[in-house]
Amino acid sequence: MPAELKTAAELDVEGKRVLVRCDLNVPLEDDGAGARRITDDGRIRASVPLLQDLTARGAKVIVLAHLGRPEDGPDPALSLAPIGERLQELLGMPVRIAQDVVGESAREAVQATEPDRVVLLENVRFDPRETSKDEAERGAFADELAAFADLYVDDAFGAVHRKHASVYDVAERLPHAAGPLVAAEVEVLRRLTEDPARPYVVVLGGSKVSDKLKVIEALLPKVDSLLVGGGMCFTFLAAQGHDVGSSLLEADQLDTCRAFLDTGKIVLPVDVVAAEKFAADVPHDVVSTGSIPSDRMGLDIGPKSVAVFRDALVGAKTVFWNGPMGVFEMEPYAEGTRGVAEAVASLDDALTVVGGGDSAAAVRALDIGEDRFTHISTGGGASLEYLEGKALPGLTVLES
Ligand code: ADP
Ligand code: MG
């Protein structure tokens, strides 16, 4: 059982300089005129409460964040400047934007920032030491970052599985605490792994079995049933001896799937939407899983499967759902995901957690209503690694 995390609320921040690692990695698109436009500012909005709280309590807040994966050094297309502007609007107070991470501009910007205001450093990955595998290199960078501040708060759950300087090494160098986003994620993930209320049902989908093998392995002993849809159900169906046509199939995972099926906990679709090819505008029909035509591919679970999954969810007290049931991005293959999302959202008196970037996007795109779930996890990779039982460096360091 992991130690309790100290939270930002417990820190005495008055008159202190607080380095805050945020997750501001939002999607951007070109506006056609050479500028970059934020297409979904959810992560910026989510970061506002902590920044407001810290400044209101008299702290100088130095925000650290990454954007994308800069290849080598500063890349103007991945500058945090447009994000700083949005942050300023959302906070309703000026945000100073530094032009580098630990250089002259950053030092001056931190210096010039008033004691109860916010300064945003440039994309932390502009410095290649941030992601270096070399401890000494990362450490030297972390020393420079730590020199800006008295305290460190991590509110970037999506990055806690990375052993990066701004997530791990800097926390070793300063008194530290978890921000509210990290604390909330950890609280929910604990409830999924430590003594979950039963029945406990997990719904998995998405494209590949191989992506989710470890999480299946870790969760199977804990759950009462595991419902499998999405592209990964076809490897399970093939393992049972079904012909899956041209559906996604990972032949090297058949034995693993057989072993999973032997637990008796796995529930598979009974019908699928089979299409001529991976496209919206091609002939497609609902067929039973026992009679998928050899020239067709399954792109969604069918209505009978939705009913089977809904029945399996009745009375569940804990539900974790990761991975769409079909290619929900194309309208003809969205109904399976919609049906299962509705079934989970309609449960009374249950802990319902959605994990995964595409699953969260499906909840929004299909208008299911985000507030009908207990929690929608923001950090896809980090949540899965937590559920796999891996030690996450960014959390381990906060617990110490
Ligand atoms: P998440 O991001 O929620 O963890 P994944 O990344 O594992 O989910 O998988 C999402 C993708 O899986 C979606 O883009 C969806 O189109 C795809 N997918 C779902 N069902 C199928 C299928 N039957 N065949 C091919 N791709 C599928
Ligand atoms: Mg995904």
Side-chain angles (χ1 to χ4, degrees):
M1 167 120 165
E4 287 305 310
L5 287 176
K6 184 168 191 171
T7 64
E10 298 167 62
L11 292 176
D12 177 11
V13 300
E14 157 109 73
K16 303 273 174 57
R17 302 164 301 164
V18 186
L19 192 60
V20 180
R21 178 61 161 95
C22 289
D23 182 358
L24 304 177
N25 192 23
V26 294
L28 292 168
E29 69 179 15
D30 221 301
D31 71 352
R36 320 250 308 157
R37 205 171 57 83
I38 298 164
T39 53
D40 178 3
D41 66 1
R43 284 178 165 161
I44 311 177
R45 283 179 191 278
S47 302
V48 162
L50 172 66
L51 305 182
Q52 255 160 1
D53 170 60
L54 292 172
T55 49
R57 290 197 282 139
K60 180 192 289 200
V61 176
I62 304 146
V63 176
L64 208 51
H66 79 277
L67 180 63
R69 296 177 179 223
E71 285 299 322
D72 46 358
D75 171 357
L78 294 175
S79 166
L80 283 179
I83 284 141
E85 280 161 33
R86 178 64 56 88
L87 183 60
Q88 173 162 288
E89 288 165 22
L90 293 168
L91 275 172
M93 68 165 89
V95 171
R96 198 175 290 273
I97 302 172
Q99 263 132 52
D100 54 27
V101 194
V102 286
E104 198 52 41
S105 165
R107 272 198 300 277
E108 280 171 20
V110 171
Q111 196 67 47
T113 300
E114 296 82 80
D116 54 357
R117 286 287 182 262
V118 177
V119 51
L120 173 66
L121 302 182
E122 192 42 290
N123 189 342
V124 70
R125 291 194 186 165
F126 282 180
D127 195 311
R129 293 176 296 173
E130 162 71 358
T131 56
S132 172
K133 296 262 183 285
D134 182 315
E135 302 262 338
E137 251 177 41
R138 278 203 326 270
F141 180 46
D143 284 338
E144 291 175 39
L145 288 170
F148 285 142
D150 308 300
L151 301 166
Y152 171 79
V153 174
D154 189 359
D155 211 20
F157 183 78
V160 293
H161 58 319
R162 310 265 184 223
K163 200 169 188 179
H164 290 170
S166 69
V167 176
Y168 179 79
D169 306 82
V170 78
E172 279 191 316
R173 287 163 169 75
L174 290 171
H176 47 250
L181 297 174
V182 165
E185 285 282 341
V186 169
E187 155 75 15
V188 159
L189 290 168
R190 274 190 188 168
R191 289 172 68 190
L192 291 179
T193 43
E194 292 168 18
D195 198 19
R198 297 192 176 276
Y200 181 8
V201 181
V202 168
V203 189
L204 287 181
S207 39
K208 291 209 213 127
V209 186
S210 52
D211 284 351
K212 316 249 160 121
L213 274 183
K214 293 221 182 67
V215 80
I216 300 176
E217 228 165 66
L219 288 176
L220 259 181
K222 301 188 177 180
V223 305
D224 295 293
S225 42
L226 178 66
L227 321 183
V228 180
M232 62 194 261
C233 75
F234 298 99
T235 306
F236 282 92
L237 291 168
Q240 282 189 328
H242 291 301
D243 182 350
V244 297
S246 55
S247 307
L248 263 186
L249 173 67
E250 288 177 272
D252 56 338
Q253 304 297 341
L254 286 169
D255 287 336
T256 315
C257 287
R258 272 183 211 109
F260 290 152
L261 286 164
D262 283 343
T263 62
K265 291 182 176 179
I266 295 195
V267 181
L268 292 175
V270 293
D271 59 352
V272 299
V273 181
E276 265 178 14
K277 56 183 175 135
F278 193 86
D281 55 352
V282 295
H284 54 269
D285 304 286
V286 174
V287 299
S288 87
T289 48
S291 51
I292 302 174
S294 58
D295 58 348
R296 293 268 183 122
M297 60 172 67
L299 294 182
D300 194 12
I301 62 171
K304 288 198 179 111
S305 308
V306 171
V308 168
F309 284 12
R310 196 188 299 118
D311 286 347
L313 283 160
V314 168
K317 287 286 172 270
T318 306
V319 179
F320 174 63
W321 166 39
N322 169 275
M325 296 293 102
V327 185
F328 74 94
E329 299 92 334
M330 299 180 196
E331 199 241 290
Y333 318 117
E335 287 314 301
T337 303
R338 185 191 302 283
V340 169
E342 268 299 329
V344 175
S346 308
L347 291 171
D348 284 327
D349 199 23
L351 173 75
T352 54
V353 181
V354 183
D358 293 296
S359 312
V363 168
R364 286 192 287 269
L366 303 176
D367 237 344
I368 309 295
E370 289 175 274
D371 54 357
R372 295 174 64 207
F373 300 89
T374 313
H375 183 75
I376 299 190
S377 178
T378 51
S383 322
L384 289 184
E385 287 195 20
Y386 186 104
L387 295 175
E388 285 166 19
K390 281 201 194 152
L392 308 184
L395 290 183
T396 318
V397 72
L398 291 184
E399 283 159 2
S400 62

Coordinates of all heavy atoms in Angstrom, one line a residue, residues 21-29 35-41 43-44 63-86 97 101 120-127 130-131 156 159 164 166:
R21 N 4.6 21.7 -11.8 CA 4.6 21.0 -13.1 C 3.1 20.7 -13.5 O 2.4 20.0 -12.8 CB 5.3 19.6 -12.9 CG 5.4 18.7 -14.1 CD 6.1 19.4 -15.3 NE 6.5 18.4 -16.3 CZ 5.8 18.1 -17.5 NH1 4.6 18.6 -17.7 NH2 6.3 17.3 -18.3
C22 N 2.7 21.3 -14.6 CA 1.3 21.2 -15.1 C 1.3 20.3 -16.3 O 2.4 20.2 -17.0 CB 0.7 22.6 -15.4 SG 0.4 23.6 -14.0
D23 N 0.2 19.8 -16.7 CA 0.0 19.1 -17.9 C -0.8 20.1 -18.8 O -2.0 20.2 -18.7 CB -0.8 17.8 -17.7 CG -1.0 17.0 -19.1 OD1 -0.5 17.5 -20.1 OD2 -1.6 15.9 -19.0
L24 N -0.1 20.8 -19.7 CA -0.7 21.7 -20.6 C -0.5 21.2 -22.1 O -0.5 22.0 -23.0 CB -0.1 23.1 -20.4 CG -0.1 23.7 -19.0 CD1 0.6 25.0 -19.0 CD2 -1.5 23.9 -18.5
N25 N -0.4 19.9 -22.2 CA -0.1 19.4 -23.6 C -1.4 19.2 -24.3 O -2.0 18.2 -24.5 CB 0.6 18.0 -23.3 CG 1.1 17.4 -24.6 OD1 1.5 18.2 -25.6 ND2 1.2 16.1 -24.7
V26 N -1.9 20.4 -24.9 CA -3.2 20.4 -25.5 C -3.0 20.3 -27.1 O -1.9 20.6 -27.6 CB -3.9 21.8 -25.3 CG1 -4.3 21.9 -23.8 CG2 -3.0 23.0 -25.7
P27 N -4.0 19.8 -27.7 CA -4.0 19.7 -29.2 C -4.0 21.1 -29.8 O -4.8 22.0 -29.4 CB -5.2 18.9 -29.6 CG -6.1 19.0 -28.4 CD -5.3 19.3 -27.2
L28 N -3.1 21.3 -30.8 CA -3.1 22.6 -31.5 C -3.3 22.4 -33.0 O -2.9 21.3 -33.5 CB -1.7 23.3 -31.4 CG -1.3 23.8 -30.0 CD1 0.2 24.1 -29.9 CD2 -2.1 25.0 -29.6
E29 N -3.8 23.3 -33.7 CA -3.9 23.2 -35.2 C -3.4 24.5 -35.8 O -3.5 25.6 -35.2 CB -5.2 22.8 -35.7 CG -6.3 23.9 -35.5 CD -7.7 23.4 -36.0 OE1 -7.9 22.2 -36.3 OE2 -8.5 24.3 -36.2
A35 N -0.3 31.0 -37.5 CA -0.4 30.9 -36.1 C -1.0 29.6 -35.7 O -1.5 28.9 -36.5 CB -1.2 32.1 -35.6
R36 N -0.8 29.2 -34.4 CA -1.3 28.0 -33.9 C -2.5 28.2 -33.0 O -2.5 29.1 -32.2 CB -0.3 27.2 -33.1 CG 1.1 27.3 -33.7 CD 1.6 26.1 -34.3 NE 1.6 24.9 -33.5 CZ 1.5 23.7 -33.9 NH1 1.5 23.4 -35.2 NH2 1.5 22.7 -33.1
R37 N -3.6 27.4 -33.2 CA -4.8 27.6 -32.4 C -5.1 26.4 -31.6 O -4.9 25.2 -32.0 CB -6.0 27.7 -33.4 CG -7.2 28.5 -32.9 CD -8.1 28.8 -34.1 NE -8.6 27.5 -34.7 CZ -9.6 26.8 -34.3 NH1 -10.2 27.1 -33.2 NH2 -9.9 25.7 -34.9
I38 N -5.5 26.6 -30.3 CA -5.8 25.5 -29.4 C -7.1 24.9 -29.7 O -8.1 25.7 -29.8 CB -5.8 26.0 -27.9 CG1 -4.4 26.6 -27.6 CG2 -6.2 25.0 -27.0 CD1 -4.4 27.5 -26.3
T39 N -7.2 23.6 -30.0 CA -8.5 23.0 -30.4 C -9.3 22.5 -29.2 O -10.5 22.3 -29.3 CB -8.3 21.9 -31.4 OG1 -7.4 21.0 -30.9 CG2 -7.8 22.5 -32.7
D40 N -8.6 22.2 -28.1 CA -9.3 21.7 -26.9 C -8.5 22.2 -25.7 O -7.4 21.7 -25.4 CB -9.4 20.2 -26.9 CG -10.1 19.6 -25.7 OD1 -10.5 20.4 -24.8 OD2 -10.2 18.4 -25.6
D41 N -9.0 23.1 -24.9 CA -8.2 23.7 -23.8 C -8.5 23.1 -22.5 O -8.2 23.6 -21.4 CB -8.4 25.2 -23.7 CG -9.9 25.6 -23.3 OD1 -10.7 24.7 -23.1 OD2 -10.2 26.8 -23.3
R43 N -7.2 20.7 -20.7 CA -6.1 20.6 -19.7 C -5.6 21.9 -19.1 O -5.2 21.9 -18.0 CB -4.9 19.9 -20.4 CG -5.1 18.4 -20.6 CD -3.9 17.8 -21.3 NE -4.0 16.3 -21.1 CZ -3.4 15.4 -21.9 NH1 -2.6 15.9 -22.9 NH2 -3.5 14.2 -21.7
I44 N -5.8 23.0 -19.9 CA -5.4 24.3 -19.3 C -6.4 24.7 -18.3 O -6.1 25.1 -17.2 CB -5.3 25.4 -20.4 CG1 -4.5 24.9 -21.6 CG2 -4.8 26.7 -19.9 CD1 -4.4 25.9 -22.8
V63 N 5.4 28.0 -13.5 CA 4.8 26.9 -14.1 C 5.7 26.3 -15.2 O 6.3 26.9 -16.0 CB 3.4 27.3 -14.8 CG1 2.9 26.1 -15.6 CG2 2.4 27.8 -13.8
L64 N 5.8 24.9 -15.1 CA 6.6 24.1 -15.9 C 5.7 23.2 -16.7 O 4.9 22.5 -16.1 CB 7.5 23.4 -14.9 CG 8.9 22.9 -15.2 CD1 9.7 24.0 -15.8 CD2 9.5 22.4 -13.9
A65 N 5.9 23.1 -18.0 CA 5.1 22.1 -18.7 C 5.7 21.8 -20.1 O 6.7 22.4 -20.5 CB 3.7 22.8 -19.0
H66 N 5.3 20.7 -20.7 CA 5.8 20.3 -22.0 C 4.7 20.4 -23.0 O 3.5 20.4 -22.7 CB 6.4 18.9 -22.0 CG 5.4 17.8 -22.1 ND1 4.7 17.3 -21.0 CD2 4.9 17.1 -23.2 CE1 3.9 16.4 -21.4 NE2 4.0 16.2 -22.7
L67 N 5.1 20.5 -24.3 CA 4.1 20.5 -25.4 C 4.7 19.7 -26.5 O 5.8 20.0 -27.0 CB 3.8 21.9 -25.9 CG 2.9 22.1 -27.0 CD1 1.5 21.5 -26.7 CD2 2.8 23.5 -27.5
G68 N 4.1 18.6 -26.9 CA 4.5 17.7 -28.0 C 5.9 17.1 -27.7 O 6.3 17.0 -26.5
R69 N 6.6 16.7 -28.8 CA 7.9 16.1 -28.6 C 8.9 16.8 -29.5 O 9.2 16.3 -30.6 CB 7.8 14.6 -29.1 CG 6.9 13.8 -28.2 CD 6.8 12.4 -28.7 NE 5.9 11.7 -27.7 CZ 6.1 10.5 -27.2 NH1 7.1 9.8 -27.6 NH2 5.2 10.0 -26.4
P70 N 9.4 17.9 -29.0 CA 10.4 18.7 -29.8 C 11.6 17.7 -30.1 O 12.1 17.0 -29.2 CB 10.9 19.8 -28.9 CG 10.0 19.8 -27.8 CD 9.2 18.5 -27.7
E71 N 12.0 17.7 -31.4 CA 13.1 16.7 -31.8 C 14.5 17.1 -31.3 O 15.1 16.4 -30.5 CB 13.1 16.6 -33.3 CG 12.0 15.8 -33.9 CD 12.0 14.3 -33.4 OE1 13.1 13.7 -33.2 OE2 10.9 13.8 -33.1
D72 N 15.0 18.3 -31.7 CA 16.2 18.7 -31.1 C 16.2 20.2 -30.8 O 16.3 21.0 -31.7 CB 17.4 18.3 -31.9 CG 17.3 18.6 -33.4 OD1 16.2 19.1 -33.8 OD2 18.2 18.4 -34.1
G73 N 16.0 20.5 -29.5 CA 16.0 21.9 -29.1 C 14.8 22.7 -29.4 O 13.8 22.1 -29.8
P74 N 14.8 24.0 -29.2 CA 13.6 24.8 -29.3 C 13.0 24.7 -30.7 O 13.7 24.7 -31.7 CB 14.2 26.2 -29.0 CG 15.4 26.0 -28.2 CD 16.0 24.7 -28.7
D75 N 11.7 24.6 -30.8 CA 10.9 24.5 -32.0 C 9.8 25.5 -31.9 O 8.9 25.3 -31.1 CB 10.4 23.1 -32.2 CG 9.5 22.9 -33.4 OD1 9.2 24.0 -34.0 OD2 9.1 21.8 -33.7
P76 N 9.8 26.6 -32.6 CA 8.8 27.7 -32.5 C 7.4 27.1 -32.6 O 6.4 27.6 -31.9 CB 9.0 28.6 -33.6 CG 10.4 28.3 -34.1 CD 10.8 26.9 -33.7
A77 N 7.2 26.0 -33.4 CA 5.8 25.5 -33.5 C 5.4 24.8 -32.2 O 4.2 24.6 -32.0 CB 5.8 24.4 -34.6
L78 N 6.3 24.5 -31.3 CA 5.9 23.9 -30.0 C 6.1 24.8 -28.8 O 6.2 24.4 -27.7 CB 6.6 22.6 -29.8 CG 6.3 21.5 -30.9 CD1 7.2 20.3 -30.7 CD2 4.8 21.1 -30.8
S79 N 6.1 26.1 -29.1 CA 6.3 27.1 -28.0 C 5.0 27.1 -27.2 O 3.9 26.9 -27.7 CB 6.5 28.5 -28.6 OG 6.3 29.5 -27.6
L80 N 5.2 27.3 -25.9 CA 4.1 27.4 -25.0 C 3.4 28.8 -25.0 O 2.4 29.0 -24.3 CB 4.5 27.1 -23.5 CG 4.8 25.6 -23.2 CD1 5.2 25.5 -21.7 CD2 3.5 24.8 -23.4
A81 N 3.9 29.7 -25.8 CA 3.3 31.1 -25.8 C 1.8 31.1 -26.0 O 1.1 31.8 -25.2 CB 4.0 32.0 -26.8
P82 N 1.2 30.4 -27.0 CA -0.2 30.5 -27.1 C -1.0 29.9 -25.9 O -2.1 30.3 -25.6 CB -0.5 29.7 -28.4 CG 0.7 29.0 -28.8 CD 1.9 29.6 -28.1
I83 N -0.3 28.9 -25.3 CA -0.9 28.3 -24.1 C -0.9 29.3 -22.9 O -1.9 29.4 -22.2 CB -0.3 27.0 -23.8 CG1 -0.8 26.0 -24.8 CG2 -0.5 26.5 -22.4 CD1 0.2 25.1 -25.4
G84 N 0.2 30.1 -22.8 CA 0.3 31.1 -21.8 C -0.8 32.1 -21.9 O -1.3 32.6 -20.9
E85 N -1.1 32.5 -23.2 CA -2.1 33.5 -23.4 C -3.5 33.0 -23.0 O -4.2 33.7 -22.3 CB -2.1 33.9 -24.9 CG -1.0 34.9 -25.2 CD -0.7 35.0 -26.7 OE1 -1.6 34.8 -27.5 OE2 0.5 35.2 -27.1
R86 N -3.8 31.7 -23.3 CA -5.0 31.2 -22.9 C -5.1 31.1 -21.4 O -6.1 31.4 -20.8 CB -5.3 29.8 -23.6 CG -6.6 29.1 -23.1 CD -7.8 29.9 -23.6 NE -7.9 30.1 -25.0 CZ -8.4 29.3 -25.9 NH1 -8.9 28.1 -25.5 NH2 -8.4 29.6 -27.2
I97 N 5.4 35.3 -19.6 CA 5.9 34.2 -20.4 C 7.3 34.3 -20.7 O 7.8 35.2 -21.4 CB 5.0 34.1 -21.7 CG1 3.5 34.0 -21.4 CG2 5.5 32.9 -22.6 CD1 2.6 34.1 -22.6
V101 N 13.8 28.0 -21.0 CA 13.4 27.2 -19.8 C 14.2 27.6 -18.6 O 13.7 27.8 -17.5 CB 13.6 25.7 -20.1 CG1 12.9 24.9 -19.1 CG2 13.1 25.4 -21.5
L120 N 5.2 31.5 -16.7 CA 5.3 30.3 -17.4 C 6.6 30.1 -18.1 O 7.0 31.0 -18.9 CB 4.1 30.3 -18.4 CG 4.1 29.1 -19.4 CD1 3.8 27.8 -18.7 CD2 3.0 29.3 -20.5
L121 N 7.3 29.1 -17.8 CA 8.6 28.9 -18.4 C 8.3 28.2 -19.8 O 7.3 27.7 -20.0 CB 9.5 27.9 -17.6 CG 9.8 28.4 -16.2 CD1 10.8 27.5 -15.5 CD2 10.5 29.8 -16.3
E122 N 9.3 28.3 -20.7 CA 9.1 27.8 -22.1 C 9.0 26.2 -22.0 O 9.4 25.6 -21.0 CB 10.2 28.3 -23.0 CG 10.0 28.1 -24.5 CD 8.6 28.3 -25.1 OE1 7.7 27.5 -24.8 OE2 8.4 29.3 -25.9
N123 N 8.5 25.6 -23.1 CA 8.4 24.1 -23.2 C 9.6 23.4 -22.6 O 10.7 23.5 -23.1 CB 8.3 23.8 -24.7 CG 7.9 22.3 -24.9 OD1 8.1 21.5 -24.0 ND2 7.4 22.1 -26.1
V124 N 9.4 22.7 -21.5 CA 10.5 22.1 -20.8 C 11.3 21.1 -21.6 O 12.5 20.8 -21.4 CB 10.0 21.5 -19.4 CG1 9.1 20.2 -19.7 CG2 11.1 21.2 -18.5
R125 N 10.7 20.5 -22.6 CA 11.4 19.6 -23.5 C 12.3 20.3 -24.6 O 12.9 19.6 -25.3 CB 10.4 18.6 -24.2 CG 9.8 17.7 -23.2 CD 9.0 16.5 -23.9 NE 8.3 15.7 -22.9 CZ 7.4 14.8 -23.2 NH1 7.0 14.6 -24.5 NH2 6.8 14.1 -22.3
F126 N 12.3 21.6 -24.6 CA 13.2 22.3 -25.4 C 14.6 22.1 -24.9 O 15.6 22.2 -25.7 CB 13.0 23.8 -25.4 CG 11.8 24.3 -26.3 CD1 11.4 25.6 -26.4 CD2 11.1 23.3 -27.0 CE1 10.4 26.0 -27.3 CE2 10.0 23.7 -27.9 CZ 9.7 25.0 -28.0
D127 N 14.7 21.7 -23.7 CA 16.1 21.3 -23.1 C 16.2 19.8 -23.2 O 15.4 19.1 -22.5 CB 16.2 21.8 -21.7 CG 17.7 21.7 -21.2 OD1 18.3 20.7 -21.4 OD2 18.2 22.8 -20.7
E130 N 15.9 17.3 -20.2 CA 14.6 16.9 -19.6 C 14.3 15.4 -19.7 O 13.9 14.8 -18.7 CB 13.5 17.7 -20.2 CG 12.0 17.2 -20.0 CD 11.5 17.4 -18.5 OE1 12.3 17.8 -17.7 OE2 10.4 17.0 -18.3
T131 N 14.5 14.8 -20.9 CA 14.2 13.4 -21.1 C 15.4 12.5 -21.2 O 15.3 11.4 -21.5 CB 13.4 13.3 -22.4 OG1 14.2 13.9 -23.4 CG2 12.0 14.1 -22.4
A156 N 0.7 17.2 -12.8 CA 0.6 16.7 -14.2 C 0.6 15.2 -14.2 O 1.5 14.5 -14.4 CB 1.9 17.1 -15.0
A159 N 2.1 12.7 -16.8 CA 3.5 12.6 -17.0 C 4.1 11.8 -15.8 O 5.4 11.6 -15.8 CB 4.2 14.0 -17.1
H164 N 11.4 11.9 -15.9 CA 11.9 13.1 -16.6 C 12.4 14.1 -15.5 O 11.9 14.0 -14.3 CB 10.9 13.7 -17.5 CG 10.6 12.9 -18.7 ND1 9.6 13.2 -19.6 CD2 11.3 11.8 -19.2 CE1 9.6 12.3 -20.6 NE2 10.6 11.5 -20.4
S166 N 11.7 17.2 -14.9 CA 10.7 18.1 -14.4 C 9.6 17.3 -13.5 O 8.8 17.9 -12.9 CB 10.0 18.9 -15.4 OG 9.2 18.0 -16.2

